Amino acid sequence: MGELCTSLANSWKKMERGLNEAVSKSKVGKYFKLEARKSCFTRELRAGTATFLTMAYIVTVNATILTDSGAACSISDCTAPAANQKAGPDCTLKPNPGYQSCLSKVKADLIVATALSSMIGSFAMGFLANLPLALAPGMGSNAYLAYNLVGFHGSGPMSYQTALAVVLVEGCVFFLIAAFGLRAKLARFIPKPVRLACAAGIGLFIAFVGLQVHQGVGLVGPDSATLVTVSACASTNPVTGECTGGKMRSPTFWLGSVGFLITSFGLMKDIKGSMIYGILFVTVISWFRGTAVTIFPNTPLGDSNYRYFKKVVDFHKIKSTAGAISFTHFNRSEVWVALVTLLYVDVLATTGTMYTMAEIGGFLNDKGNIEGEYLAYMVDAGTTVVGAALGVSPIATFVESSAGIREGGRTGLTAVIVGVYFLLSLFFVPLLSSVPPWAIGPSLVMVGVVMMKVVVEIDWNNIKEAGPGFVTMLLMPLTYSISNGIIAGMGLYIALELVDYIGGWIKWLIKMRRVVSKEQNQVSATAGIEMI
């Protein structure tokens, strides 16, 4: 038996070696520079698989977050209370069969749009920039679009169509910035403490979303006296989300908590795909009907969703989100604030991720530049334009690409393999659209945990750095706005710099006055002696 295993192992190694040599010497291997970068096909395959496993959660997470905005759904999709009556303007915030049915269809559209834009971005990064970096809609910018711009079920300052127009323009501006090589200068314009705190603040914001009733596990809920409080209730008010009974007795919350523990344990042990395992565990249990945690309740909507779920494999065509762009209400102050915010978040996130991945993979040359860097930024910006056309938030280079780089990925073939996996996911929309929010919530909290690590780089002993950094992080979740945090942090930093500058001038003037006064006294004393 031992000899058989040894023989099989040797045969496999020989076959793998032959495959790697054949690919390396082929046109594909030469195009991706496999030999020049000391890599091989099987290593790139393992790297692409590892990267996809660590970031595959974005397909359902991004679709869930953007669906919370209501997307293309409106009051016209609501079911009227009676034959001769029209649905009220608050029907989108209350349980309504027609509106919920529209949200289910929109979520399927957004799953396809997320997978398709991720596939296009990863393919482009691999073929054009030849870097092992995967792209997908970025965490942070998607939450900003859904909860700050459009608002929960369309309750924000602008429509979903206008928000997509903002993303489209932002992508075009970023493309021009990358084309003219102005990205680094723009990134340096933001003060260091605000730049670092921005990532942590977005992490806190995303985690806060993952803890809420409608969007996550439901641990945090609204309270009329204290604004927020511990919830996880067995029953809640469907309109306000306030607890009506059974605090900390929500079955879905406890199931989501188990999923969070699974994810945490996997990350502790550095297991690839830990995010997916936690989501998968909670989701599979929630698929069983007739339980307290089912995502398919015995209602007309639940029955309809269950019938679609049973298809398992189905190619869904985007019907409502593709091309849903409108410039009708573009000339408003909220639009320009959103445009600047998305642009800065995109520039900072892309620049930071790109250089972090380059350091891990050893792609930096003696001058601190990355091979293919120029095209990589162009791809990132161009894919954002494509994403806006499909109906999703800005596309970003994912930090999860580090998983593939650690597995040995050194060329764009890794990114191409990730793109192939996203292509395959397009055929499993019925399964991907049936992931409940209490399965997504724990992963959002974990994303927040990972994004908090940058705070150690802030000099907390220097109040000129600590103050703006803390304000940036604090205001993002508390005001439910990423842009508010950035504006407040930059405003405080500028104010402190201005006060410091004025203080320095005052000190200099006082010092000069003393010097002049001293010289005048000396001149007077000398003149008095000469007169004597």
Side-chain angles (χ1 to χ4, degrees):
M1 187 67 179
E3 293 180 359
L4 178 63
C5 291
T6 304
S7 177
L8 289 173
N10 291 333
S11 299
W12 170 255
K13 288 181 180 178
K14 185 178 180 180
M15 184 175 65
E16 183 181 4
R17 194 181 304 113
L19 176 63
N20 287 332
E21 289 178 359
V23 174
S24 296
K25 294 177 181 178
S26 67
K27 291 183 178 179
V28 173
K30 292 177 181 178
Y31 180 84
F32 288 109
K33 303 178 181 178
L34 289 176
E35 290 185 343
R37 296 189 182 180
K38 299 178 181 179
S39 186
C40 60
F41 173 73
T42 54
R43 189 179 298 165
E44 297 291 315
L45 178 62
R46 286 196 303 271
T49 303
T51 297
F52 178 77
L53 284 175
T54 55
M55 67 178 290
Y57 70 90
I58 194 62
V59 176
T60 50
V61 170
N62 185 63
T64 300
I65 289 174
L66 294 181
T67 301
D68 279 342
S69 71
C73 297
S74 62
I75 297 174
S76 60
D77 296 299
C78 293
T79 302
N84 298 325
Q85 295 180 349
K86 292 184 178 180
D90 60 345
C91 70
T92 60
L93 301 175
K94 295 180 180 179
N96 185 284
Y99 192 75
Q100 294 298 323
S101 177
C102 179
L103 290 179
S104 298
K105 296 174 183 176
V106 160
K107 186 175 181 180
D109 285 351
L110 289 169
I111 286 173
V112 174
T114 300
L116 193 57
S117 58
S118 303
M119 179 197 77
I120 293 170
S122 298
F123 276 154
M125 184 65 78
F127 283 118
L128 299 179
N130 197 19
L131 289 172
L133 306 176
L135 281 76
M139 294 296 292
S141 56
N142 56 3
Y144 178 66
L145 186 147
Y147 304 121
N148 294 159
L149 303 186
V150 185
F152 182 71
H153 289 183
S155 58
M158 67 182 70
S159 67
Y160 172 72
Q161 291 79 3
T162 304
L164 288 182
V166 173
V167 175
L168 179 66
V169 174
E170 183 269 328
C172 293
V173 173
F174 189 20
F175 188 86
L176 292 174
I177 289 171
F180 287 103
L182 301 175
R183 170 206 44 80
K185 294 179 180 179
L186 191 62
R188 285 194 292 267
F189 183 72
I190 293 187
K192 180 185 175 183
V194 177
R195 188 168 67 245
L196 295 171
C198 189
I202 291 174
L204 289 173
F205 180 82
I206 291 173
F208 186 49
V209 170
L211 291 174
Q212 291 184 52
V213 175
H214 295 295
Q215 300 98 331
V217 294
L219 177 62
V220 176
D223 184 86
S224 56
T226 60
L227 298 181
V228 292
T229 186
V230 171
S231 183
C233 300
S235 60
T236 58
N237 186 315
V239 178
T240 64
E242 288 190 61
C243 186
T244 57
K247 185 172 287 190
M248 293 301 293
R249 294 182 183 179
S250 168
T252 56
F253 164 72
W254 291 110
L255 177 61
S257 299
V258 175
F260 181 76
L261 290 176
I262 292 173
T263 298
S264 301
F265 179 79
L267 292 173
M268 283 167 54
K269 300 301 180 181
D270 200 24
I271 298 173
K272 301 293 186 296
S274 298
M275 287 275 201
I276 293 296
Y277 300 142
I279 294 173
L280 191 62
F281 173 81
V282 176
T283 300
V284 170
I285 292 178
S286 301
W287 281 344
F288 290 97
R289 302 197 77 179
T291 66
V293 296
T294 183
I295 193 178
F296 305 117
N298 293 316
T299 61
L301 180 61
D303 294 338
S304 175
N305 290 340
Y306 187 65
R307 284 192 296 270
Y308 181 62
F309 162 76
K310 288 193 294 184
K311 289 184 178 182
V312 181
V313 177
D314 180 53
F315 185 79
H316 179 85
K317 294 182 180 179
I318 302 177
K319 298 175 182 178
S320 63
T321 62
I325 297 172
S326 174
F327 290 91
T328 305
H329 302 289
F330 203 79
N331 194 19
R332 294 166 56 188
S333 59
E334 297 91 342
V335 170
W336 298 109
V337 171
L339 179 61
V340 172
T341 301
L342 283 175
L343 182 62
Y344 271 128
V345 170
D346 208 2
V347 169
L348 290 176
T350 303
T351 304
T353 302
M354 200 82 71
Y355 275 89
T356 300
M357 297 304 101
E359 288 175 4
I360 294 173
F363 303 135
L364 291 174
N365 58 24
D366 296 336
K367 296 181 179 179
N369 297 322
I370 308 169
E371 182 181 352
E373 177 184 7
Y374 180 78
L375 285 174
Y377 287 117
M378 299 280 279
V379 166
D380 194 292
T383 312
T384 292
V385 175
V386 173
L390 294 173
V392 296
S393 51
I395 311 299
T397 303
F398 257 55
V399 72
E400 282 83 354
S401 300
S402 60
I405 293 173
R406 288 192 177 98
E407 285 291 326
R410 291 295 180 272
T411 74
L413 190 56
T414 295
V416 171
I417 291 168
V418 174
V420 171
Y421 282 123
F422 277 119
L423 173 63
L424 294 175
S425 69
L426 290 171
F427 298 95
F428 296 94
V429 177
L431 298 182
L432 295 173
S433 62
S434 301
V435 179
W438 51 90
I440 301 298
S443 64
L444 296 182
V445 175
M446 187 53 66
V447 168
V449 172
V450 173
M451 293 179 75
M452 284 298 295
K453 61 185 179 183
V454 295
V455 298
V456 298
E457 298 180 39
I458 298 174
D459 184 3
W460 294 104
N461 294 319
N462 182 357
I463 199 65
K464 196 161 70 172
E465 284 200 16
F470 181 73
V471 167
T472 301
M473 288 188 291
L474 186 68
L475 291 188
M476 284 186 183
L478 292 188
T479 63
Y480 219 67
S481 171
I482 293 171
S483 58
N484 285 349
I486 295 174
I487 293 170
M490 288 190 66
L492 180 57
Y493 184 86
I494 292 170
L496 291 175
E497 282 283 355
L498 190 60
V499 170
D500 192 27
Y501 182 75
I502 294 173
W505 263 100
I506 292 173
K507 284 183 178 179
W508 183 81
L509 289 173
I510 293 173
K511 183 178 179 180
M512 289 301 297
R513 184 179 178 182
R514 287 175 179 172
V515 170
V516 171
S517 178
K518 185 177 180 181
E519 289 180 354
Q520 287 178 344
N521 291 336
Q522 289 177 348
V523 170
S524 299
T526 304
I529 293 172
E530 290 178 352
M531 288 178 64
I532 294 172

